[in-house]
Amino acid sequence: MGKRVIAGALILLATSFTAAEAGFDQRKAEKFAKKNSKYISCYYLYGLKKDSKKQDVAESMITAKAYIKGLGKKDVIYALGFGSGKIAAMLEADRDKQEQLISKHIKHCK
């Protein structure tokens, strides 16, 4: 297994443990992450490209959308971890074309 698959799995595992102890609705946070997967993917990809300004903007937009939907800060953190773990696993699954996939997906980010 690659380091990123392990990292993605650890992110998902850690977020599931924190969800059990945090007292928030894990299902609601996962549903939010799935509906906003494009924005969360952009957030993660900006991090890979080390573009912290764009990553901060993406995080702010995701947080604002979550607050509008009635989610709390813990829900947002879980959703970011859940979505980031999924995109990390997808990128690791096709290591040969990883840079091409990042370039392809980041084009859709605004």
Side-chain angles (χ1 to χ4, degrees):
M1 288 182 137
K3 290 180 183 177
R4 290 190 182 165
V5 168
I6 293 170
L10 289 174
I11 289 170
L12 287 172
L13 183 64
T15 53
S16 68
F17 282 135
T18 57
E21 296 177 9
F24 66 90
D25 191 352
Q26 179 180 352
R27 197 171 339 134
K28 190 175 179 181
E30 288 178 6
K31 184 178 176 183
F32 174 80
K34 288 175 185 174
K35 285 187 176 184
N36 293 283
S37 63
K38 176 184 173 185
Y39 300 108
I40 294 172
S41 295
C42 290
Y43 163 80
Y44 181 76
L45 294 172
Y46 289 142
L48 288 178
K49 290 292 188 179
K50 298 184 181 5
D51 193 345
S52 61
K53 289 181 182 178
K54 287 185 179 179
Q55 188 179 29
D56 289 345
V57 170
E59 182 180 7
S60 298
M61 288 176 44
I62 293 164
T63 302
K65 287 179 143 221
Y67 287 166
I68 289 170
K69 294 290 184 180
L71 277 73
K73 184 173 182 159
K74 292 177 183 178
D75 298 317
V76 175
I77 293 168
Y78 180 84
L80 285 171
F82 182 80
S84 295
K86 286 189 167 254
I87 187 89
M90 182 204 67
L91 290 173
E92 188 61 33
D94 200 356
R95 291 193 75 162
D96 297 335
K97 297 181 181 179
Q98 201 170 48
E99 284 301 317
Q100 291 173 341
L101 287 171
I102 291 170
S103 296
K104 176 185 172 186
H105 288 286
I106 209 162
K107 286 180 185 177
H108 300 290
C109 299
K110 293 181 182 182

